[in-house]
Amino acid sequence: MRLRVDLLPHGNYPDVVVIIDVLRATTTAVTYLERGADALLLTATPEVALNLRTEGSPYVLGGERGGLPIPGFDFGNSPVEAAGQNFTGRTVVMNTTNGTGAAHTAAQTGKHIFLAALTNAHAAARRARAAATEEIAIVCAGTDEHVGLEDVYAAGVLAEYLLAMGEFSIDDGARIALTVRRNSGNPLEALGSSGHGQHLMRLGLGEDVRCAAGLSTSTIVPTLDPGDAPEGTLRFTAG
């Protein structure tokens, strides 16, 4: 079994893909499902999300650009904000700067797509291992097409869990992620020292960084549903 870590999305994924955007899309996605959402629709563009809003629709919109809420959306991309809501019976439509695009890249070829964060790291690793037949690719969303320390650190956490479960051949990306994990302190230190973590703190969103640093606090794994979804969206449900 191969274990691969892509420090940025590259595509060409033959088997299981685990998407990480720990600050904050995948952390928030887990929280939406914890708070009762029936499903998440990850859109290719903000316009696709806005066009889904119709009178009486079950959709609520959550997303950001540059860390700030998108005009016309109901929510930003905040796990703390999401944790204070009840989404029972609703479908959350998400579009973010990096994470939702990474999911669309993975879905072009991957057989099984999962969303992972630090908060569900152990559960996501177990789901990935159970589904894989030849390769697990952990894909870091990054920030504006640049590698993000926080995602690489989280990838290292997942890689550690996976290596504890069995034998893998690992690539250099996995070696880098494991090295970052072992040399970057605890999760809050790693996330808080990252460029994107510092950006969020300057925006007054330090509580989101602290929330995202929680390790294996959830057993929910957002899982791509291969069934029908509105055009330009990927439908994830709780796994």
Side-chain angles (χ1 to χ4, degrees):
M1 183 77 69
R2 301 188 303 273
L3 175 59
R4 159 184 174 184
V5 172
D6 284 3
L7 306 185
L8 288 171
H10 293 298
N12 190 27
Y13 301 113
D15 194 7
V16 168
V17 190
V18 181
I19 302 296
I20 293 176
D21 186 0
V22 71
L23 292 176
R24 295 166 288 164
T26 54
T27 303
T28 305
V30 171
T31 308
Y32 282 138
L33 293 173
E34 283 186 319
R35 297 300 300 153
D38 290 342
L40 309 173
L41 296 179
L42 275 55
T43 70
T45 66
E47 290 73 26
V48 170
L50 289 165
N51 288 338
L52 287 173
R53 189 201 299 275
T54 58
E55 188 70 29
S57 79
Y59 300 135
V60 294
L61 276 54
E64 56 74 35
R65 280 297 180 275
L68 298 174
I70 298 173
F73 277 46
D74 302 296
F75 298 99
N77 182 34
S78 166
V80 172
E81 179 185 44
Q85 306 294 322
N86 181 353
F87 294 98
T88 301
R90 309 302 297 274
T91 294
V92 181
V93 184
M94 294 184 69
N95 185 268
T96 68
T97 307
N98 306 290
T100 52
H104 277 263
T105 297
Q108 292 175 13
T109 58
K111 293 178 183 176
H112 306 279
I113 315 296
F114 304 108
L115 304 183
L118 287 173
T119 55
N120 72 341
H122 203 174
R126 290 196 302 267
R127 285 296 305 277
R129 183 64 184 85
T133 57
E134 55 179 302
E135 177 183 276
I136 298 172
I138 302 172
V139 179
C140 303
T143 302
D144 296 327
E145 300 182 355
H146 291 77
V147 174
L149 171 65
E150 70 282 2
D151 290 342
V152 179
Y153 179 91
V157 171
L158 263 78
E160 277 191 339
Y161 283 148
L162 286 164
L163 291 172
M165 294 179 200
E167 293 292 326
F168 287 88
S169 63
I170 65 174
D171 73 347
D172 283 352
R175 292 185 179 92
I176 291 168
L178 288 164
T179 300
V180 169
R181 157 64 171 155
R182 292 164 183 166
N183 290 279
S184 296
N186 64 44
L188 184 55
E189 289 171 337
L191 271 57
S193 66
S194 70
H196 195 52
Q198 292 174 6
H199 171 68
L200 292 174
M201 289 181 187
R202 287 193 295 270
L203 292 176
L205 297 168
E207 282 301 315
D208 280 352
V209 178
R210 284 182 278 276
C211 176
L215 188 57
S216 291
T217 59
S218 177
T219 58
I220 286 178
V221 182
T223 302
L224 181 63
D225 183 343
D228 290 339
E231 185 175 356
T233 75
L234 301 172
R235 186 174 189 270
F236 283 81
T237 55

